[in-house]
Structures are given as C-alpha cells and as structure tokens.
C-alpha cells in the first residue's frame, strides 16, 4: 500500500513540477519581451550598414520571424506544446525580434526608403512576317 501511495505521490510531484515550469516559462515570456530582448542585441550592430544592406537584413529578419512564429504555433498543437514551444523556439524568437527592432530603428534613423521594384521585362515586339505578295 505504501508503494502505491509513494508512486502516486511521485507522479503528482512530477506533474506539479511540469506545470510550474510551464507557468514559469510563460510568465517570463510575457514580462516584457522588448525589455528582455535588449540583452540579446548589440546596439551598434547595424551602425555601419547602408540602406541597401539594411533593406536586405530587414527582409531576412522578417522571413525568419515568420518561420519561427509558424514553428511555435505548430509546436503548441502537440501534447506538451506550450512547453516545447517555449523551450525550443522562444529565445531565438526574442533574439530575432530584437534584431528586427534594431534594424527597423536604424532604417528610420538613416531615413532609408525602399528600393522600387524593377519593372517587369518587356515582352519582345512581334516580328512582322513578310506577306506572300510582297516582292
């Protein structure tokens, strides 16, 4: 009988530990990503970038954020989803988000403007065919 109680008690403790860990992680994640993220990025990282480099970096960071967001959403659909999402992707997401904010701020500070899209290539002009009666 003591063995069953001990086993049940151990299982309950393990479940409580997992629950508290998940709550702790989600609490940390919500406590101000912007303040927390500043620790992840060097404030001078983009100082020497020109507008063209910043434009490419911003696009790359946006793509990375979208990918991480998708991975986090997908992970949350699993059995231990929120915990897996926090452990596997949250730090990377916070880091990339901080880089994105810094790149965006540098973009604004440098008064950069987006590069216009190149016009689509012109279709070749149709060639005139010589008629049968033309000699």
């Amino acid at each position: 009988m003591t063995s069953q109680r001990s086993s049940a008690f151990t299982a309950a403790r393990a479940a409580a530990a997992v629950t508290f860990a998940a709550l702790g992680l989600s609490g940390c994640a919500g406590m101000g990503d912007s303040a927390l993220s500043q620790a992840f990025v060097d404030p001078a990282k983009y100082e020497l970038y020109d507008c063209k480099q910043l434009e490419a970096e911003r696009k790359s960071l946006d793509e990375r954020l979208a990918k991480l967001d998708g991975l986090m959403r997908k992970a949350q659909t699993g059995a231990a989803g929120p915990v897996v999402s926090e452990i596997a992707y949250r730090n990377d997401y916070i880091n990339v988000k901080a880089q994105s904010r810094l790149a965006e701020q540098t973009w604004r500070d440098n008064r950069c403007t987006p590069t216009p899209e190149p016009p689509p290539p012109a279709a070749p002009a149709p060639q005139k065919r010589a008629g049968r009666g033309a000699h």
Side-chain angles (χ1 to χ4, degrees), residues 88-108:
Y89 303 114
R90 188 63 175 185
N91 285 342
D92 196 21
Y93 182 85
I94 291 170
N95 184 17
V96 173
K97 185 72 170 175
Q99 289 179 40
S100 178
R101 285 183 184 143
L102 182 60
E104 194 65 38
Q105 182 63 45
T106 306
W107 174 267
R108 283 191 304 269

Side-chain angles (χ1 to χ4, degrees), residues 12-30:
R13 281 180 40 186
V18 168
T19 301
F20 285 122
L23 289 173
L25 286 172
S26 64
C28 289

Side-chain angles (χ1 to χ4, degrees), residues 41-127:
V41 180
D42 175 14
K45 180 172 183 164
Y46 298 116
E47 258 182 35
L48 300 177
Y49 279 50
D50 64 20
C51 289
K52 189 172 185 174
Q53 291 169 315
L54 280 169
E55 187 170 30
E57 182 72 4
R58 288 171 61 231
K59 182 179 178 185
S60 173
L61 290 168
D62 286 347
E63 290 169 359
R64 180 75 177 135
L65 278 173
K67 182 177 179 181
L68 285 168
D69 186 54
L71 290 169
M72 289 171 70
R73 288 177 190 268
K74 185 176 179 181
Q76 289 180 354
T77 62
V83 174
V84 171
S85 176
E86 291 294 317
I87 291 171
Y89 303 114
R90 188 63 175 185
N91 285 342
D92 196 21
Y93 182 85
I94 291 170
N95 184 17
V96 173
K97 185 72 170 175
Q99 289 179 40
S100 178
R101 285 183 184 143
L102 182 60
E104 194 65 38
Q105 182 63 45
T106 306
W107 174 267
R108 283 191 304 269
D109 291 348
N110 291 347
R111 296 185 178 117
C112 296
T113 56
T115 304
E117 291 288 324
Q127 295 180 354

